[in-house]
Amino acid sequence: MSDTKGHALALRGLSKRYGDFVAVNDVSLEVGKGEFLTLLGPSGSGKTTILMAIAGFVAPSDGAILLDGRDITPLPPEKRDFGMVFQGYALFPHMTVAENVAFPLRVRGMSKADRDAKVRGALDLVQLAAFADRLPKQLSGGQQQRVALARALVFDPALLLLDEPLSALDKKLRAELQEELKALHQRVGRTFVNVTHDQEEALSLSDRIAILNHGRLVQAGAPGELYERPRTRFVADFLGKSNFLEGTVRGAAPGGFALEAGAARLAVRLPDGAAPLAEGSRSLLSLRPEKIALLAEGDAAENVAEGRILAFAYLGAGFSLRVATEHLGEIRATLPAWKSPIAPTEGLPVRLGWSADAAAPVEEDAA
Ligand SMILES: Nc1ncnc2c1ncn2[C@@H]1O[C@H](COP(=O)(O)OP(=O)(O)O)[C@@H](O)[C@H]1O
Ligand SMILES: [Mg+2]
């Protein structure tokens, strides 16, 4: 029932400098009406600075911020009226849940009767109606964070900005709240801009992800698109795990090529529409550990690497293996435990196999 009351946001060449230091470097990004967009990047990559610029608390050094095509760059935060939730966002400890949620409405001068109806609606949204009269200290961390969400949504903001709202919570609670946040986004049909350094959170919550590194936007796209088609080594490495194989392009054709890496020759099939690589050029392949199989005797694969197990870890759902291969250096593979043909042991000779479309060319990141 998301009727897309959300607004469209655009960043145009946004930069923020502190003296000589460039915290945000020429970021351009479109966020569609009602979209859940996540800014994902390591600590210090400029995520909070971008969010604060959107909120109006940080003045950009360059560039513009547009809401539904209108330039809002000069507007102060209170004129933007965006909802915000931060990491470990403090509720007012002496106010009840209902009073906390009513606060933004009181500030806006809304009558008590109207306030009460809005507060009830917002608490229903986060499923905390039964807790209206409690104090924050009588709630769990997850419940407090839901109150903070209700308080950010109660005045029907044009945009909800979230800066690592779940990062203070333990793993299980975080996973629960991730699901709730996603459901909440669908219920309210607003535009959400979320910040996280947690790749799994970004993958599971977002309609689209924008990946940042050193203040630059490296790649933006739907989660599956970024995971399957990372543009650079950084994206492949940061969003999930990856092996990297380097070599020379041979037999280049529109549909694929062979990567000559020392004595090994690997078959690579390119997705439809991908630009062919230049014969004889250097290429870097990203190969996800879960796309590698452990071959049983007599099994064939388009690419095979023989080696020995250097180390392994049992992860419950599967095994993670580090294999020293004859020609390709160390390769990591993850195998579902239930269909592993062997019990891994250190030093065990193994054959790894993967299909020609398992590995994809990526670019080295600009320095
Ligand atoms: N007020 C400031 N003065 C100087 N440097 C800052 C300021 N705010 C942020 N920075 C720097 O900008 C970079 C990006 O910070 P931030 O946006 O907080 O990153 P993230 O949220 O991705 O961890 C960091 O190196 C940080 O130290
Ligand atoms: Mg931050």
Side-chain angles (χ1 to χ4, degrees):
M1 56 165 245
S2 62
D3 53 333
T4 323
K5 290 169 283 184
H7 296 257
L9 178 77
L11 309 180
R12 296 275 159 80
L14 188 76
S15 293
K16 181 62 186 179
R17 290 180 291 273
Y18 293 105
D20 287 343
F21 181 76
V22 186
V24 176
N25 196 343
D26 195 18
V27 169
S28 293
L29 182 68
E30 310 272 337
V31 188
K33 281 181 200 285
E35 194 167 75
F36 195 124
L37 177 107
T38 295
L39 300 172
L40 174 70
S43 175
S45 56
K47 306 180 297 293
T48 294
T49 307
I50 292 174
L51 206 71
M52 287 298 165
I54 296 170
F57 294 110
V58 160
S61 310
D62 264 312
I65 299 164
L66 285 76
L67 191 69
D68 293 332
R70 190 170 68 98
D71 189 352
I72 59 163
T73 321
L75 285 189
E78 65 277 11
K79 289 268 172 60
R80 300 187 189 192
D81 227 17
F82 298 158
M84 302 195 71
V85 181
F86 300 106
Q87 178 179 354
Y89 199 68
L91 301 172
F92 303 112
H94 58 286
M95 291 187 193
T96 65
V97 165
E99 287 164 352
N100 264 281
V101 175
F103 185 79
L105 305 176
R106 252 177 49 209
V107 171
R108 287 167 175 77
M110 189 183 277
S111 75
K112 170 109 176 55
D114 289 348
R115 271 191 338 242
D116 288 350
K118 286 266 186 198
V119 168
R120 219 172 305 123
L123 286 177
D124 277 341
L125 266 181
V126 298
Q127 285 153 9
L128 282 179
F131 295 76
D133 297 324
R134 292 211 192 171
L135 289 169
K137 67 176 182 211
Q138 296 169 313
L139 301 177
S140 71
Q143 289 166 337
Q144 289 184 32
Q145 216 45 342
R146 278 150 64 192
V147 177
L149 277 168
R151 185 171 59 180
L153 284 165
V154 73
F155 59 95
D156 291 329
L159 208 62
L160 189 67
L161 305 175
L162 305 146
D163 194 352
E164 314 230 12
L166 311 181
S167 64
L169 306 171
D170 68 51
K171 196 175 159 73
K172 202 169 161 65
L173 195 54
R174 202 161 66 223
E176 276 172 34
L177 272 193
Q178 277 169 14
E179 283 184 22
E180 278 189 36
L181 193 56
K182 189 167 183 159
L184 182 69
H185 172 251
Q186 276 158 3
R187 283 200 295 275
V188 299
R190 303 253 164 207
T191 310
F192 282 30
V193 181
N194 179 47
V195 160
T196 187
H197 64 271
D198 179 334
Q199 37 153 304
E200 281 174 32
E201 179 182 320
L203 286 171
S204 70
L205 279 179
S206 319
D207 295 317
R208 276 191 329 135
I209 302 173
I211 298 197
L212 295 158
N213 194 21
H214 300 305
R216 285 183 184 276
L217 176 66
V218 189
Q219 190 176 1
E225 185 186 324
L226 290 190
Y227 190 83
E228 292 298 331
R229 305 277 299 273
R231 192 172 67 72
T232 72
R233 179 197 282 259
F234 174 80
V235 175
D237 207 27
F238 194 71
L239 200 65
K241 296 199 169 75
S242 184
N243 295 288
F244 294 100
L245 306 169
E246 214 177 332
T248 306
V249 173
R250 300 293 177 203
F257 60 94
L259 186 86
E260 189 181 272
R265 221 178 148 87
L266 307 174
V268 181
R269 197 160 39 243
L270 292 170
D272 288 345
L277 278 76
E279 181 71 22
S281 62
R282 296 295 289 170
S283 177
L284 183 68
L285 298 180
S286 155
L287 175 61
R288 300 281 188 200
E290 75 273 14
K291 293 190 176 179
I292 301 175
L294 201 54
L295 301 180
E297 194 139 336
D299 281 356
E302 286 172 296
N303 292 293
V304 175
E306 296 192 16
R308 283 177 188 277
I309 295 178
L310 273 177
F312 67 94
Y314 176 63
L315 305 172
F319 291 105
S320 159
L321 302 184
R322 276 170 49 213
V323 174
T325 66
E326 278 176 24
H327 301 299
L328 295 170
E330 191 177 310
I331 290 188
R332 283 173 187 270
T334 51
L335 312 164
W338 61 274
K339 64 174 191 185
S340 176
I342 53 142
T345 51
E346 249 174 69
L348 189 75
V350 288
R351 286 166 68 235
L352 303 176
W354 62 94
S355 73
D357 47 20
V362 293
E363 295 166 25
E364 283 291 359
D365 293 83

